Amino acid sequence: MDLSTLTGSIWRELELANTDRQHQWRTPVLASIDTNGLPQARTVVLRKACHHTQTLQFFSDARSPKVAQLRASGQIQLVFWSSALKWQLRVSAQARVETSGAEVDKAWQGIKLGPARQDYLSPFAPGDALPNTVTTALDESPHLAIISAEVIHMDWLSLSSEGHQRAEISATAVRWLTP
Ligand SMILES: Cc1cc2nc3c(=O)[nH]c(=O)nc-3n(C[C@H](O)[C@H](O)[C@H](O)COP(=O)(O)O)c2cc1C
């Protein structure tokens, strides 16, 4: 791998992961800090990746604990692993949450036509205890949140029997690190 082309190669894979359902970078782990200062990590689906704006996007239920956590502290880390590429990518980013507005409305227009629509119309919030009585009624308006992560720093690790490689990428530096 050439250091001068590394950043472009990483973003190409992120953009591919957004469109290719089989790409292993499609489901990274998103780690945040909860209101007690404790780490919280969970799998999410990558919904958008843009090299130009240095942003990654995810969808969630606006009532999920992670949304409240990200509103209190937008400092996150995302971990991507692909056994096909043998690449791990750790992305430090600043997250922002939108639950209304044109971008959320546009995203909902796409989601509401597919099976995922019910994920955002549940009368219960993620993590709520389920009631004893079964209800199939859905809410009328979606509880959709868009999480946009502005990339600050990347730590890339490539595993190889010929020698592992590791590099850090930030706004000011791209350099090799000891793996
Ligand atoms: C493969 C996979 C993909 C997932 N994608 C999402 C997602 O895109 N957004 C989301 O909010 N939760 C997603 N989840 C569920 C989360 O991992 C998590 O269980 C849930 O959002 C509750 O997290 P929280 O309590 O930290 O808010 C996914 C889980 C799996 C296993």
Side-chain angles (χ1 to χ4, degrees):
M1 179 58 70
D2 182 343
L3 206 53
S4 64
T5 55
L6 178 62
T7 310
S9 300
I10 291 170
W11 276 103
R12 222 171 358 266
E13 291 299 335
L14 287 169
E15 287 170 354
L16 255 180
N18 173 44
T19 51
D20 175 0
R21 286 179 170 270
Q22 305 309 318
H23 199 295
Q24 293 171 324
W25 275 9
R26 192 172 168 81
T27 49
V29 171
L30 184 164
S32 58
I33 305 161
D34 73 15
T35 45
N36 294 316
L38 297 173
Q40 296 288 343
R42 78 290 281 164
T43 311
V44 286
V45 176
L46 179 65
R47 300 293 180 181
K48 197 168 165 184
C50 179
H51 186 178
H52 179 63
T53 58
Q54 300 273 310
T55 52
L56 304 170
Q57 249 181 27
F58 310 92
F59 295 162
S60 192
D61 187 304
R63 302 162 296 178
S64 73
K66 77 178 82 48
V67 165
Q69 289 161 18
L70 296 178
R71 283 197 160 128
S73 170
Q75 285 179 295
I76 60 168
Q77 191 164 70
L78 293 148
V79 183
F80 300 79
W81 161 245
S82 163
S83 59
L85 294 166
K86 294 194 171 62
W87 285 7
Q88 172 185 263
L89 183 68
R90 295 159 70 196
V91 177
S92 301
Q94 184 68 32
R96 178 171 57 79
V97 181
E98 306 284 348
T99 53
S100 62
E103 203 176 5
V104 175
D105 292 345
K106 188 171 169 217
W108 179 242
Q109 294 312 310
I111 297 167
K112 76 175 188 188
L113 304 172
R117 66 188 287 276
Q118 61 190 17
D119 296 348
Y120 302 97
L121 291 170
S122 168
F124 308 111
D128 275 1
L130 278 176
N132 293 328
T133 51
V134 179
T135 171
T136 49
L138 295 176
D139 283 354
E140 278 179 14
S141 45
H143 304 279
L144 175 63
I146 299 181
I147 300 166
S148 299
E150 192 184 324
V151 174
I152 296 165
H153 183 269
M154 288 180 170
D155 182 320
W156 171 86
L157 175 69
S158 169
L159 301 182
S160 165
S161 53
E162 286 151 33
H164 308 323
Q165 285 184 301
R166 182 177 175 188
E168 76 164 331
I169 298 151
S170 69
T172 51
V174 181
R175 58 179 185 142
W176 294 120
L177 300 178
T178 306

